Amino acid sequence: MKRSFVRLTLAFTAVLGLTGLGSVGTAAAEPAATDTAAVTTEYFSGFGTGSSAWTAEYSAYNDAYTKASFAGYPRYTCFQSGIPYTRQISQYMYWSNATVRCTK
């Protein structure tokens, strides 16, 4: 039992030495770079209308993405957040409220 543990320990330290992880005397010439910019997340709400529930939701998301782009967020950093609220306001008119979450 002790012999296999010793072999395993030797093999492990050999692998560490080959990969450079086991060296003792190495030090970084410069300190590690830290990212000081904090990640910001903002939510934007959009409102839309349409002749069907789908077109009203699409219009609402488009309005939210437009507000986010005016705030400086590229569209690929924004994603739909939550469930859009859609209701029928007349026989052929729907109203919707949708939210997108954007990160920088």
Side-chain angles (χ1 to χ4, degrees), residues 1 6 49 52 58 75 83 86-87 97-100 103:
M1 185 80 133
V6 171
T49 58
S52 68
Y58 181 80
R75 181 155 179 144
I83 300 171
T86 306
R87 67 179 190 168
N97 179 15
T99 304
V100 295
T103 57

Side-chain angles (χ1 to χ4, degrees), residues 19-94:
T19 60
L21 298 175
S23 55
V24 177
T26 60
E30 297 179 16
T34 57
D35 187 17
T36 58
V39 175
T40 58
T41 301
E42 287 189 59
Y43 292 87
F44 297 94
S45 292
F47 302 97
T49 58
S51 59
S52 68
W54 182 85
T55 56
E57 289 175 10
Y58 181 80
S59 176
Y61 278 120
N62 193 32
D63 184 43
Y65 286 128
T66 302
K67 289 178 182 178
S69 79
F70 285 140
Y73 289 94
R75 181 155 179 144
Y76 63 87
T77 63
C78 299
F79 301 97
Q80 296 177 0
S81 176
I83 300 171
Y85 174 73
T86 306
R87 67 179 190 168
Q88 188 172 7
I89 56 176
S90 69
Q91 186 175 357
Y92 298 108
M93 184 63 77
Y94 290 83

Side-chain angles (χ1 to χ4, degrees), residues 5-18:
F5 178 75
V6 171
R7 284 186 182 174
L8 181 63
T9 305
L10 289 175
F12 184 72
T13 53
V15 169
L16 286 179
L18 289 176

